[in-house]
Every structure is written in C-alpha cells, then in structure tokens.
C-alpha cells in the first residue's frame, strides 16, 4: 500500500493564482482531512470528509474548497492564493472513529506552498 | 469546539534524562488522546494514545497519563536519546469526532 500520497511536494504561486493540491489514499478509509501547519500553531483543520460526497468545514476553511467524489481522492483547491496561505499542507485519512476508540490518522508527506 | 493547549513550546534535556510534555483540553466529552511525533521535514506519526477509561499507558520508554477530572494529559519520555529530538503534538478527539491538535513542543536531546 502506498498509504496517503500528496502532490506536488513543493509549489510556488503568485498572489491571485489558483491551484489544486492532490491527495489520495489506498486504505479504503472513510475519513479524510486537510490540515495546514504553520510555525508555533500546530496543525489546524481546514476541511474534512466523512465519506464520498460529504464534506464539512474545519477551523480555518476560508479561501479553500474541497470535494470528495470518490473514497480515494480528496483534492484541496485554493481559489485565489494569498500570502497568508503560505504553509505546509498535510492530508490525512483514517477509519471511522468509534466512541472512545483509537483514531489513528495517517498523514501524507505534505505539500510546501509559498505564495508570493 | 475543542481547544487543546500544550506546554512547553520548547524543551531541552540531557541525554538519559526524562522529558515531560503537558496538555489541557476543554471539551469534557473528549475521549481519545493521541500523541504524534514529527521529525524535521517529515509527516506526523502516532507514537502512543490513551482512551478516556484509562489513566496511564506505557510503551517502552514512553508513557501517557490522563486526568479526566482536571482535563489534562501528559507525555513522559524516559532515558531520552538523540533520536527522540523532534516536535511532539498532543491531540484530542471531542464531540465533533475530529482531532484538535496542540501547538507542539520542540524537544531537543543534548548529547
């Protein structure tokens, strides 16, 4: 299994450009999430999906769109890039959590995005 | 929603000493608390977790304790080694069934 894969690894955008960060998993996980990681702020949830066709907003959704047309793929779209979106983006997947049960999220390798 | 606070933000210890990282959470419905380790330039990886019906869990040199009454949990690393140097994140799964992460602790083990 490849686990969770992300492309690209690095990206530089100009302000106002749009792009899509790709994420795929081959573990048949129901849950998928996008996080951004900024220095001193940990991992903040952008959007998440609990299954194909279902998405919801996390803590910092503004400026980002997602869709989940298949179980495997969960792309993140930046509509009009801004310097404040310079960050490292991680995609993660997991099985459906059960009450009090383990909830291991498997992370992709990350995409380092710079917006100039 | 859930709020997780983590302290300290940086921690330096001598090789062989113990390291302790502490987290507090706000959602009393939170029932699962994982810890992730992230090495420089790598992805976060789960190292240990604890459920709300357990007070302590150990895995070799790593242990986690949970105090549900006080809503705090801690990571303990004994006999630290240089390869323990990394950023450690605590997290909590609350009523929204989503992971909320602390802000991270940069642990440096000095030889």
């Amino acid at each position: 299994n490849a686990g969770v894969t992300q492309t690209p690894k690095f990206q530089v955008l100009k302000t106002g450009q749009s792009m899509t960060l790709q994420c795929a998993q081959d573990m048949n996980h129901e849950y998928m999430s996008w996080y951004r990681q900024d220095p001193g702020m940990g991992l903040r949830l952008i959007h998440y999906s609990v299954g194909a066709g279902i998405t919801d907003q996390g803590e910092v959704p503004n400026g980002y769109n997602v869709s989940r047309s298949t179980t495997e793929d969960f792309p993140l779209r930046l509509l009009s890039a801004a310097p404040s979106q310079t960050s490292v983006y991680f995609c993660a997947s997991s099985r459906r959590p059960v009450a009090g049960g383990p909830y291991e999220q498997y992370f992709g390798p990350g995409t380092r995005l710079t917006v100039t | 929603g859930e709020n997780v606070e983590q302290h300290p933000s940086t921690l330096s210890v001598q090789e062989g000493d113990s390291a302790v990282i502490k987290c507090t959470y706000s959602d009393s419905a939170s029932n699962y608390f994982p810890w992730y380790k992230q090495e420089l330039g790598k992805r976060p990886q789960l190292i240990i977790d604890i459920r709300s019906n357990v007070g302590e869990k150990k895995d070799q040199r790593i242990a986690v304790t949970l105090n549900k009454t006080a809503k705090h949990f801690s990571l303990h690393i004994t006999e630290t080694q240089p390869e323990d140097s990394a950023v450690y994140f605590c997290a909590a799964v609350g009523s929204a069934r989503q992971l909320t992460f602390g802000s991270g602790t940069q642990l440096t083990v000095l030889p």
Side-chain angles (χ1 to χ4, degrees):
Chain A
N1 286 354
V4 181
T5 58
Q6 290 182 239
T7 56
K9 284 187 168 50
F10 302 94
Q11 183 70 49
V12 178
L13 289 178
K14 294 188 188 304
T15 297
Q17 287 184 318
S18 62
M19 80 159 296
T20 299
L21 306 186
Q22 300 292 344
C23 174
Q25 53 92 9
D26 61 0
M27 297 175 281
N28 202 31
H29 284 167
E30 292 163 296
Y31 278 42
M32 295 187 75
S33 304
W34 276 102
Y35 295 89
R36 60 177 290 172
Q37 184 174 30
D38 303 295
M41 301 188 75
L43 292 145
R44 292 184 292 168
L45 183 64
I46 304 171
H47 285 286
Y48 65 97
S49 169
V50 300
I54 306 169
T55 63
D56 207 345
Q57 296 181 349
E59 179 186 355
V60 288
N62 293 342
Y64 308 95
N65 273 357
V66 291
S67 59
R68 183 98 180 269
S69 55
T70 66
T71 299
E72 295 78 20
D73 300 298
F74 191 42
L76 178 72
R77 296 184 187 84
L78 280 71
L79 307 174
S80 177
S84 61
Q85 294 179 305
T86 293
S87 188
V88 179
Y89 291 84
F90 286 99
C91 178
S93 73
S94 71
R95 300 191 187 285
R96 180 191 301 273
V98 296
Y103 182 26
E104 179 171 3
Q105 289 210 334
Y106 295 82
F107 285 86
T111 294
R112 186 173 295 274
L113 176 68
T114 301
V115 183
T116 61
Chain B
E2 175 68 279
N3 182 48
V4 177
E5 295 194 356
Q6 182 172 346
H7 299 281
S9 57
T10 61
L11 178 61
S12 293
V13 299
Q14 292 294 137
E15 183 176 355
D17 287 350
S18 295
V20 180
I21 302 170
K22 298 182 179 182
C23 290
T24 61
Y25 62 97
S26 61
D27 186 352
S28 56
S30 290
N31 53 21
Y32 175 68
F33 307 91
W35 287 86
Y36 285 79
K37 176 183 180 182
Q38 185 180 28
E39 296 175 346
L40 188 62
K42 302 283 184 65
R43 71 192 80 186
Q45 293 196 300
L46 180 72
I47 55 171
I48 195 168
D49 56 15
I50 191 167
R51 306 181 193 185
S52 59
N53 59 349
V54 175
E56 183 176 1
K57 182 177 177 180
K58 286 184 180 179
D59 183 3
Q60 298 183 330
R61 296 185 297 107
I62 294 174
V64 57
T65 58
L66 171 64
N67 183 328
K68 283 208 71 179
T69 303
K71 288 194 277 189
H72 66 70
F73 56 113
S74 301
L75 177 71
H76 304 252
I77 306 174
T78 59
E79 301 172 16
T80 53
Q81 301 168 2
E83 54 264 36
D84 294 330
S85 294
V87 178
Y88 292 80
F89 292 98
C90 62
V93 176
S95 49
R97 289 277 186 269
Q98 290 299 320
L99 274 173
T100 300
F101 286 87
S103 54
T105 296
Q106 172 70 62
L107 173 65
T108 302
V109 179
L110 304 168

